[in-house]
Amino acid sequence: MVSLFVRIDLNSHGQIGPGKIDLLEQISERGSISAMGMSYRRAWELVEELNATFGRPLVESRAGGKAGGGADLTPLGYFVIGRYRAIQKAVEQASHGHLSALQAEIYAKRR
Amino acid sequence: MVSLFVRIDLNSHGQIGPGKIDLLEQISERGSISAMGMSYRRAWELVEELNATFGRPLVESRAGGKAGGGADLTPLGYFVIGRYRAIQKAVEQASHGHLSALQAEIYAKRR
């Protein structure tokens, strides 16, 4: 029930948090720039923020074909997902004991 | 230059982030409910949120005396600071290599 929210702050280069990472994962799964509960316009804005952060694309369009084109992640896009998820896992493992201790105090018999 | 923002989400019990922890540390140092760049009213609101999260006080008023009273942290207040700072340190150590890798990509010769 206690959890950590983790955001990577890149100063003038922006921020990377769970919203952008979830979006990248959904683009990879769907093969297009779209995500549950997010407008196409908003998804594009976030992709452009990510591309600007790294100075080169994390997402690229694919040429047409029968399906009328779509989008996929670049190797850099997969690299960023991988590093973020690794950070998230490392952070959860490193903080687990402390979070349990805080949770115990919250649920302690209230004195 | 790359850093992590860490916030503890306690679901219906609220959130603990760097703002509330900085405030607790300043109350401890100053001996009163006050913090740089924050109104007294706002400081009290945050203290009351913390007290509500744990169901008992993290900050308590001290009776008068020559200095006209003031405030100090309870043992629970110091416990919460300690756990948060321990989480922050563990998180920084656990994520250091991944953050360096991301930073290297941001500063890579832009291809």
Side-chain angles (χ1 to χ4, degrees), chain B residues 10 13 25 33 56 65 107:
Chain B
L10 308 160
H13 293 286
E25 288 178 342
I33 294 183
R56 53 199 196 279
Y107 284 107

Side-chain angles (χ1 to χ4, degrees), chain A residues 1-11 53-56 79 83 86-87 98 101 105-106 110-111, chain B residues 1-11 53-56 79 83 86-87 98 101 105-106 110-111:
Chain A
M1 110 78 226
V2 173
S3 64
L4 281 189
F5 171 90
V6 174
R7 189 183 66 217
I8 302 167
D9 284 340
L10 309 160
N11 290 344
T53 291
F54 288 90
R56 52 199 197 280
F79 170 89
R83 290 292 183 176
I87 287 171
H98 298 299
E105 285 299 324
I106 290 170
R110 298 188 164 216
R111 310 183 255 276
Chain B
M1 112 71 236
V2 174
S3 63
L4 282 189
F5 171 90
V6 174
R7 189 183 67 219
I8 304 166
D9 285 339
L10 308 160
N11 290 344
T53 291
F54 288 90
R56 53 199 196 279
F79 171 88
R83 290 292 183 176
I87 287 171
H98 299 299
E105 284 299 324
I106 289 170
R110 298 184 165 219
R111 310 182 259 273

Side-chain angles (χ1 to χ4, degrees), chain A residues 16-54:
Chain A
I16 304 176
K20 284 176 182 162
I21 297 298
D22 288 347
L23 171 62
L24 288 178
E25 288 179 341
Q26 289 196 53
I27 290 170
S28 170
E29 283 165 23
R30 292 162 174 245
S32 68
I33 294 181
S34 60
M36 292 285 289
M38 186 185 295
S39 70
Y40 184 75
R41 179 193 170 85
R42 179 66 183 145
W44 253 113
E45 283 174 2
L46 293 176
V47 165
E48 287 179 347
E49 281 181 32
L50 282 165
N51 292 349
T53 291
F54 288 90

